[in-house]
């Protein structure tokens, strides 16, 4: 018998398993998942055992030298997962394997120490069985999921439920069934640090069987959690995207809450989507997958319509609490003011009643730019070709991509005119406007700067939830998870800043965001109200959000996807070709584009300069592969990239199923 060993080092020509013989001493110990030292060429290298074979591929096989660690770091099932990941997302095998390896043993880990100890202490509470009497709709959903869990079939459910309809209760009751079968459940949320309330609810119900994987656990704590999960001591795993790789020995249920969120997509190789990984795992473990949302992604809803997923609907909020009425203000008629009179008045009324308000800015539109009134040029980053944003606290222009900062120029860099103006609606500017109308009100700003000053998201949220501020001003981060009874007004400062972006998901993102922020108002006994300001109030994404009409939005959006042949009617792979040497990038992009077009005469778009044409000093070209069969696209890309020369200084980035095109 021979061992298949994958080197820890990631590089193109060694991204496969090599065969080694096994000495007498190692014979009884060696398992899949062991980290070993092997001779490689003239050197010694560290690798992982990923399998065993009867026949070696070469006649002269060398012995594994020794075990590097005594405990295996992953299982055979996890190797299968990593293989699938590497193939599906066109990444290195070892990069995919790193995702499933216990923390602190493979790649380097970032360490951040937060309020962890407190939270752990809290999670050591005893469980109370406190299941709620389900509503009729909940009961239908719970029974369907339980039946699938009991049968042990890999079925996917879309739990389509409006905000506040009791989806979390459905998850928890399904988990009870999984626990009774002795299996583990993985519950994924978009941002675990933004959902402390959810963690508390789970701890209150399940006590010690929980492992909450926060991003700011230390390596030691992470290892401990990993250990508790793999031993089966912790059978309920709560976490963000990467928790999908938690080493639960037997998975019975995986939940993705708010499954449409962008944060489920990893932004470095392997660029996986947690939903697709969960789908693979569910098949591997014969587990049930529940995708929960009030605003499912278009792909997910389409799959449910096609019968691929079973759809469960929670159409009403608990206690029949109404969804808040949404009013719309046409900014074209607001006289150039950032806050319309309707929104000002609503703010004043809300604060006068002792209630709380949230003002929300779309992240893409919340910056202040320096622009020349004479020629229209904005002051751009020399490395990235995107507009610098003005930070009034430091009186500097800063690049939000690469960190470059400079003093504002006294004249326009293009035409030399001295009429530079500062445009845009930054959170700081909104804060000032609100302070002018409500001088007595306590304002809380939530953005990168204020988070840096005040320490953490959690602290800002806790301050607001405790009623120590009247108005919270922030970007879409404030849309996530916040559940404060006293919030009765949500104002969206400008709803449409994302609609102008050249991305097939712009409308979907806009709709989801608006629906989500609207869901922050009037969640409990006080009735809520939402005011959306927009320059394009007639847009169907905004109209549908006003009416809380997901289905109406879906029906229009799916037609547009069909017309333009975008997902779910096609698959996409984005290839980014970047270099500090503009000529090199351009030449390589042209060559790759041509070779791809020869392989696939239809379905290659580009090469074209990327939406952000220069980033961190690199010129970027993009080629988009589009087609019905993802496997055909993948193979074409693999063949072409395998056959071309890759000069040094050229960086290629492959994104399979990109979430956006910019
Ligand atoms: P969602 O996850 O759909 O936004 P939640 O699960 O947070 O909704 O439920 C909203 C509120 O309703 C929570 O405070 C929850 O405790 C309560 N709730 C859920 N199900 C029930 C039920 N069957 N009976 C009474 N209250 C419920
Ligand atoms: Zn920059
Ligand atoms: Zn100018």
């Amino acid at each position: 018998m021979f061992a298949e060993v994958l080197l820890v080092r990631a590089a193109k020509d060694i991204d496969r398993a090599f065969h080694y013989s096994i000495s007498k001493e190692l014979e009884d110990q060696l398992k899949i998942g062991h980290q070993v030292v092997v001779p490689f060429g003239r050197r010694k290298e560290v690798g992982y055992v990923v399998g065993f074979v009867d026949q070696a591929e070469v006649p002269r096989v060398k012995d594994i030298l020794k075990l590097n660690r005594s405990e295996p770091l992953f299982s055979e099932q996890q190797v299968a997962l990593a293989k699938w990941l590497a193939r599906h997302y066109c990444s290195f095998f070892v990069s995919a394997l790193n995702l499933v390896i216990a923390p602190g043993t493979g790649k380097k880990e970032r360490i951040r120490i937060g309020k962890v100890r407190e939270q752990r202490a809290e999670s050591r509470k005893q469980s109370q069985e406190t299941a709620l009497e389900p509503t009729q709709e909940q009961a239908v959903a719970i029974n369907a999921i339980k039946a699938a869990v009991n049968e042990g079939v890999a079925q996917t459910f879309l739990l389509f439920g409006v905000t506040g309809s009791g989806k979390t209760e459905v998850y928890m009751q399904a988990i009870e069934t999984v626990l009774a079968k002795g299996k583990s459940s993985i519950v994924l949320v978009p941002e675990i640090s933004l959902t402390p309330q959810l963690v508390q609810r789970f701890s209150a119900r399940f006590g010690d069987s929980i492992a909450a994987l926060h991003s700011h656990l230390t390596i030691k704590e992470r290892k401990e959690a990993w250990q508790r999960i793999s031993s089966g001591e912790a059978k309920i795993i709560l976490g963000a995207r990467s928790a999908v790789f938690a080493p639960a020995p037997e998975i019975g249920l995986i939940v993705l809450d708010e499954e449409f969120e962008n944060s489920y997509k990893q932004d470095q190789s392997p660029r996986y989507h947690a939903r697709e990984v969960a789908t693979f795992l569910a098949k591997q473990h014969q587990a049930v997958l529940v995708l929960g949302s009030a605003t499912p992604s278009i792909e997910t809803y389409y799959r449910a319509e096609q019968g691929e997923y079973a759809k469960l609907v929670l159409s009403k909020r608990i206690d029949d609490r109404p969804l808040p009425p949404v009013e719309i203000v046409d900014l074209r008629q607001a006289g150039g003011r950032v806050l319309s009179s309707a929104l000002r008045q609503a703010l004043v009324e809300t604060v006068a009643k002792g209630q709380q308000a949230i003002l929300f800015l779309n992240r893409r539109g919340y910056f202040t730019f320096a622009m020349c009134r004479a020629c229209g040029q904005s002051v751009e980053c020399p490395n990235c070709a995107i507009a610098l944003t003005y930070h009034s606290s430091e009186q500097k222009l800063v690049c939000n991509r690469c960190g470059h900062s400079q003093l504002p120029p006294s004249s326009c860099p293009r035409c030399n005119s001295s009429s530079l103006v500062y445009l845009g609606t930054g959170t700081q500017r909104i804060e000032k406007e609100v302070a002018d109308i409500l001088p007595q009100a306590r304002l809380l700003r939530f953005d990168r700067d204020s988070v840096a000053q005040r320490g953490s998201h959690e602290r800002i949220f806790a301050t607001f939830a405790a009623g120590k501020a009247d108005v919270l001003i922030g970007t879409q981060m404030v849309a996530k998870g916040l559940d404060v009874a006293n919030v009765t007004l949500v104002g969206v400062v400008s709803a449409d800043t994302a609609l102008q972006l050249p991305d097939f998901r712009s409308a979907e993102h806009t709709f989801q965001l608006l629906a989500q922020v609207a869901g922050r108002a009037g969640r409990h006994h006080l009735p809520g109200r939402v005011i959306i300001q927009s320059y394009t109030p007639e847009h169907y994404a905004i109209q549908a959000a006003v009416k809380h009409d997901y289905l109406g939005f879906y029906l229009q959006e799916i037609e547009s996807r069909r017309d333009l042949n975008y997902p779910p009617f096609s698959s996409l792979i984005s290839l980014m070709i970047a270099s500090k040497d503009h000529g090199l990038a351009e030449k390589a992009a042209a060559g790759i584009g041509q070779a791809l077009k020869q392989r696939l005469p239809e379905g290659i778009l580009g090469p074209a300069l990327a939406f952000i044409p220069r980033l961190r000093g690199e010129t970027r070209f993009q080629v988009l592969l589009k087609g019905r069969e993802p496997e055909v696209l993948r193979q074409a890309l693999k063949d072409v990239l395998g056959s071309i020369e890759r000069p040094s200084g050229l960086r290629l980035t492959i994104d399979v199923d990109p979430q956006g095109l910019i």
Side-chain angles (χ1 to χ4, degrees), residues 247-442:
E250 252 195 302
I251 302 171
L253 174 73
I254 307 174
V255 173
L256 256 86
D257 191 36
E258 302 301 358
E259 60 85 36
F260 67 90
E261 283 282 355
N262 267 345
S263 57
Y264 283 123
K265 179 88 157 120
Q266 162 99 328
D267 50 11
Q268 2 168 322
S269 180
R271 293 179 164 71
Y272 67 87
H273 195 295
R275 189 203 302 129
E276 306 308 314
V277 179
T279 304
F280 178 91
L281 275 176
K283 288 201 186 110
Q284 197 181 41
H285 289 253
Q286 294 298 300
V288 171
L289 173 59
V290 177
L291 308 173
S293 179
T295 54
S297 64
I298 296 292
E299 284 102 318
T300 292
Y301 200 83
Y302 181 76
R303 289 175 186 172
E305 291 287 272
Q306 298 293 304
E308 196 179 323
Y309 300 162
K311 186 164 73 177
L312 303 168
V313 182
L314 305 181
S315 61
K316 287 188 237 134
R317 280 186 159 182
I318 295 294
D319 294 343
D320 276 332
R321 282 167 210 152
L323 285 163
V326 181
E327 300 150 53
I328 196 147
V329 173
D330 189 338
L331 276 179
R332 291 169 299 197
Q333 282 153 26
R337 301 178 94 170
V338 180
L339 300 179
S340 61
S341 50
L343 187 48
R344 284 160 190 264
Q345 203 183 333
L347 274 169
V348 172
E349 284 168 16
T350 304
V351 174
K353 280 189 277 190
Q355 296 170 359
Q356 290 170 288
I358 301 178
L359 282 183
F360 163 77
L361 292 91
N362 208 322
R363 186 192 289 168
R364 305 267 187 183
Y366 95 113
F367 300 117
T368 305
F369 305 94
M371 190 192 260
C372 172
R373 213 196 286 266
C375 76
Q377 172 78 33
S378 53
V379 180
E380 292 186 341
C381 172
N383 308 319
C384 303
I386 55 174
L388 294 171
T389 60
Y390 184 65
H391 289 227
S392 59
S393 49
E394 303 151 59
Q395 302 188 334
K396 269 188 179 161
L397 289 168
V398 177
C399 174
N400 286 309
R401 296 272 174 170
C402 77
H404 166 88
S405 80
Q406 65 181 63
L407 293 172
S410 53
S411 60
C412 170
R414 183 155 87 184
C415 76
N416 231 4
S417 148
S418 58
S419 49
L420 282 181
V421 288
Y422 292 86
L423 294 178
T425 44
T427 37
Q428 296 178 1
R429 169 147 173 222
I430 301 286
E431 186 183 22
K432 194 168 165 300
E433 297 244 344
V434 178
D436 287 346
I437 336 168
L438 290 167
Q440 311 297 328
R442 298 158 303 167

Side-chain angles (χ1 to χ4, degrees), residues 186-193 195 212-215 222 237-246 255-256 263-264 272 274:
I186 299 179
V187 179
L188 302 178
V189 291
E191 297 244 16
I192 186 125
S193 62
T195 36
L213 297 171
H214 290 267
S215 60
R222 210 160 250 278
I237 299 116
L238 278 177
R241 170 178 81 213
S242 63
V244 77
F245 298 110
V255 173
L256 256 86
S263 57
Y264 283 123
Y272 67 87

Side-chain angles (χ1 to χ4, degrees), residues 132-135 138 159 161-173 198 201 205 257-258 314 317-319 321 483 520 523-524:
L132 299 168
E133 182 63 35
T135 63
Q138 281 176 321
L159 181 61
V162 297
T163 50
S165 60
K167 294 186 288 296
T168 310
E169 184 63 30
V170 173
Y171 306 152
M172 291 197 288
Q173 298 206 17
L198 186 90
R201 276 167 79 181
R205 179 90 45 109
D257 191 36
E258 302 301 358
L314 305 181
R317 280 186 159 182
I318 295 294
D319 294 343
R321 282 167 210 152
D483 184 3
R520 298 305 116 206
R523 290 176 67 86
H524 297 263

